[in-house]
Amino acid sequence: MADTIAVEAPRDRGVGLVLASQTSVHSGAAVATMLFPLAGAAGVVTLRLVIGAALMLAVCRPRVRGHRARDWTLLAGFGVVLAVMNFLYYLAIQRMPIGPVVTLEVLGPLTLSVLAGKDAARWLWALLALAGVALLGFGGLRAGGFDLIAAGLALAAGACWAGYIMLSARTGSRFPKQDGLALAMTVAALVALPLGVTTSGGAMFGPVTLALGAAVAVLSSVLPYSLELAALRRLPTSTFAVLMSLGPAIAALAGFAIAGQALSVAEIAAIVLVVAASAGAVRSRTVAE
């Protein structure tokens, strides 16, 4: 009995860490929406990446010597994808509530999981996700809240997210600890900085803007990455992946609680369908493996 409790306790803590990570990252996005009137989406992305990269470099202190040219090429590509993904996502949530945006964005990793699967059930999950997206679009259009441009941005961000997953795995195999992520965030910050400064100018450097930008960087980057790393030490990868599928639901709750973004019944049902499809697809793939 004592052994069972000892095994279950770390897993319970691992589940809590994943949920805390998801709550943190989507709360950061909700706080970011409060910054849009001050610095715009580009300015907020720049603040998140620059401050987040500085904190990651200070904490991780990555080693920059001893890597091959192809490792740096991979890292540069990873950083560019990270920057583009963030720009697309923040431009989307500037136009549409966070819950629906994350619901559409998660289709990127979901598609990757479906295509990598081998069992027939993966097509069931794909159809379930499509039903959720169709319901999201129909319900949003009827309520006058579905933005086609925002939807396109969210889907493009989802494609970048799928690329992020693949590049993250490759980078992690070539760079020790969190060195690759810290360096990739630095590349992303350097990519974002010119656009952010050009678009937002001195508005980015106001005390309130900098304080909220630092909060967004900690909530959306530094804290979630640390929590996820700790969770992966306590949970099987399959359990971790299924819990990450709860992202759209947690995003919707964060948007409602922090930014006052209410959703229609149809949008809530659509989010539930996509969460179920994502969790099912990930679970089917890990069981097959």
Side-chain angles (χ1 to χ4, degrees), residues 96-101 103 136 139-140 143 145 248-257 260-272:
M96 197 163 69
I98 297 170
V101 168
T103 301
L136 182 65
I250 295 174
L253 289 173
F256 174 74
Q261 298 176 344
L263 299 175
S264 67
V265 174
E267 287 172 327
I268 293 172
I271 290 172
V272 170

Side-chain angles (χ1 to χ4, degrees), residues 49-287:
L49 291 175
V50 170
I51 297 174
L55 291 173
M56 289 289 289
L57 288 174
V59 172
C60 299
R61 297 183 180 181
R63 181 171 58 88
V64 296
R65 295 182 179 180
H67 302 296
R68 293 170 291 184
R70 63 180 182 178
D71 295 333
W72 287 110
T73 301
L74 171 63
L75 192 72
F78 186 19
V80 170
V81 168
L82 185 59
V84 173
M85 179 179 71
N86 276 278
F87 272 112
L88 292 169
Y89 173 68
Y90 276 75
L91 287 169
I93 64 172
Q94 190 176 28
R95 304 178 65 101
M96 197 163 69
I98 297 170
V101 168
V102 176
T103 301
L104 293 169
E105 186 188 28
V106 82
L107 293 180
L110 174 59
T111 300
L112 188 64
S113 185
V114 168
L115 293 177
K118 298 179 180 179
D119 60 328
R122 61 194 171 121
W123 300 112
L124 172 62
W125 305 124
L127 289 173
L128 191 63
L130 287 175
V133 171
L135 182 59
L136 182 65
F138 178 72
L141 287 173
R142 286 195 63 184
F146 191 79
D147 188 307
L148 292 177
I149 295 177
L153 291 167
L155 291 172
C160 288
W161 191 1
Y164 167 87
I165 292 171
M166 294 185 290
L167 290 170
S168 178
R170 292 179 62 188
T171 301
S173 66
R174 297 191 189 184
F175 291 84
K177 300 179 182 178
Q178 295 294 301
D179 287 13
L181 180 59
L183 293 170
M185 282 193 66
T186 303
V187 172
L190 292 173
V191 171
L193 192 57
L195 183 58
V197 171
T198 301
T199 304
S200 302
M204 279 200 312
F205 305 108
V208 174
T209 306
L210 285 173
L212 288 174
V216 171
V218 171
L219 287 170
S220 298
S221 298
V222 180
L223 187 57
Y225 296 147
S226 301
L227 291 171
E228 288 169 13
L229 182 62
L232 283 167
R233 292 172 178 158
R234 294 170 170 81
L235 291 173
T237 304
S238 58
T239 304
F240 177 84
V242 170
L243 289 170
M244 291 291 284
S245 301
L246 295 174
I250 295 174
L253 289 173
F256 174 74
I258 297 174
Q261 298 176 344
L263 299 175
S264 67
V265 174
E267 287 172 327
I268 293 172
I271 290 172
V272 170
L273 287 175
V274 173
V275 167
S278 183
V282 171
R283 186 64 179 169
S284 295
R285 181 181 173 188
T286 52
V287 168

